[in-house]
Each structure stands twice: as C-alpha cells, then as structure tokens.
Amino acid sequence: MNMTTTKSDKAPSSKAAKTPTAAAATPVSKRRYRGSAVEERRAQRRQQLIDAAIQVYGENGYRHSGVKQVCDAAGLTQRYFYESFGHSDELLIACYEQAARWMREDNMAAAKAAGKDPVLRSRAMLQSYFQQLKENPTIGRLLLIEIRGISPAVDQAIEKALKATSDDIARVLARPGKHFDELLQAGILGGVIHIALHWMANGYSTPVDVVTDTALKLGVSLLDDE
C-alpha cells in the first residue's frame, strides 16, 4: 500500500501523535545548543585573555600590568575578566601553564625527530628550547622571570611544570629500564635555566648553537650517569 498517497482515517491521528513529541523536543534542543554556544563563547573569551596576558606580562612585567591593560589588549571589558578568573594570579598561572605546555610539546617533537641516539635527542631538545626563547622573548620572560616570587599557588604551578619537563626528559632520553638520578636531573634542569637567564640578560648575543652546546655539557653528564 502506498502510504504517501492514501488518505485514511488514521493519518490525522498519526500526525497529531507526532506533533507533541517534536514540539516537546524543540525547547530542549534549543536550550542544549544555547548552552553549548554560551560555553564556547566563555571559553573563547578566556583564551583571548590568556593570549593577551602572555603578551602584556611578557612586555611590561606582571607586577606592572593590571586587569585593565590585559582586558584592553584582549578587546574585552573588565567584567569578562572575572567571568573566568578570580584574581590576576589565576590568570598568570593559566598563562604560564599554556606557555610551558607549548614549550614542552615543541621540545619533545624536536627530540623525537632527532632519531634514537640520546645525545642527539638531548641536543635537539636544548636547541629547540633556546631557539624558542630567542624567537619569543615575551614567552621567555614570562616563563623564567615574571613568574618568580608571586605567591605559593604560582610556585606550585612552577614545580608542576618542572616535574612535567623532567618526566619528558626521562621519557625521551633514558634507556629502557633505566632511571635518572632525580637530584642530578633537577640540578641539570636548574643549570639549563640559569644558562638561559644569563643568555637573555645579555640580549641573546651568543649564537643559539653555542648556547646549546654549552648546555649539552650538562645534559651529557646526566646520560653518563645512567
């Protein structure tokens, strides 16, 4: 039987039965989509603030930058700041975590692309690190200078990021079944950071390759200790 052309007595009741269900579903769907759109816009504004703050803090210094400066750079009113962050330290932590994650991801990619030799991987990670600092001085200042001595919460974020970096180093450099000395690894990581700080303070005047080879002397001592 062709149900599309036959007009039976049941057709109107069938249509009537479907109508309330569709009508009832529509507001729910609209609320769901509206809610999703609201969350997306809120997330977008949060990201705008983080991106703007990385630039503002990196250029002017965290202690010399206020909420208004960040909001102006993000193209948002100040009320949107408090939509995502309770205070400036929370935004600083979000900026630091994002920049540190970017740095780690690039360093890991460089190490994996260098092959399986631990020394070559170590050099590739260090070169990627120093190259990024030179090409992105605002991020370098945020990661190594502006972040220090702000608050216990910020200090915890630093320790968490350093631990993640140490885990990355062990994952790509340690031989199967081997483990690095944690104290030695912490000392070498601190040494690399101080090399970077000295290099930055002197205007990145030393070529990246030279800085990399200098820091590699520390890295090789970690490999020799296995």
Side-chain angles (χ1 to χ4, degrees), residues 2-3 9 12-13 25 29-30 35 46-47 59 81 87 104 126 140 143 156 158 171 181 185 201 209 215 217 220 226:
N2 188 342
M3 296 298 292
D9 293 338
S13 61
S29 299
K30 286 184 177 179
R46 185 179 190 277
Q47 189 60 53
E59 290 180 353
F81 176 91
H87 49 76
R104 290 198 311 272
L126 289 167
L143 287 174
Q156 288 178 6
I158 296 172
R171 188 159 51 252
D181 182 303
Q185 187 173 352
D209 284 342
K217 296 175 182 178
V220 169
E226 277 192 287

Side-chain angles (χ1 to χ4, degrees), residues 120-182:
L120 294 179
R121 282 191 163 198
S122 181
R123 191 183 194 286
M125 289 185 77
L126 289 167
Q127 186 163 28
S128 172
Y129 175 69
F130 290 118
Q131 190 67 46
Q132 288 180 80
L133 291 179
K134 185 173 184 178
E135 292 178 356
N136 303 283
T138 54
I139 289 181
R141 183 174 178 181
L142 173 69
L143 287 174
L144 300 181
I145 299 174
E146 294 305 321
I147 199 71
R148 297 290 177 177
I150 301 297
S151 71
V154 175
D155 290 342
Q156 288 178 6
I158 296 172
E159 291 303 315
K160 183 179 177 181
L162 291 176
K163 176 64 167 57
T165 299
S166 294
D167 291 344
D168 286 346
I169 292 171
R171 188 159 51 252
V172 299
L173 300 183
R175 294 181 176 87
K178 299 292 184 178
H179 300 280
F180 292 137
D181 182 303
E182 289 187 8

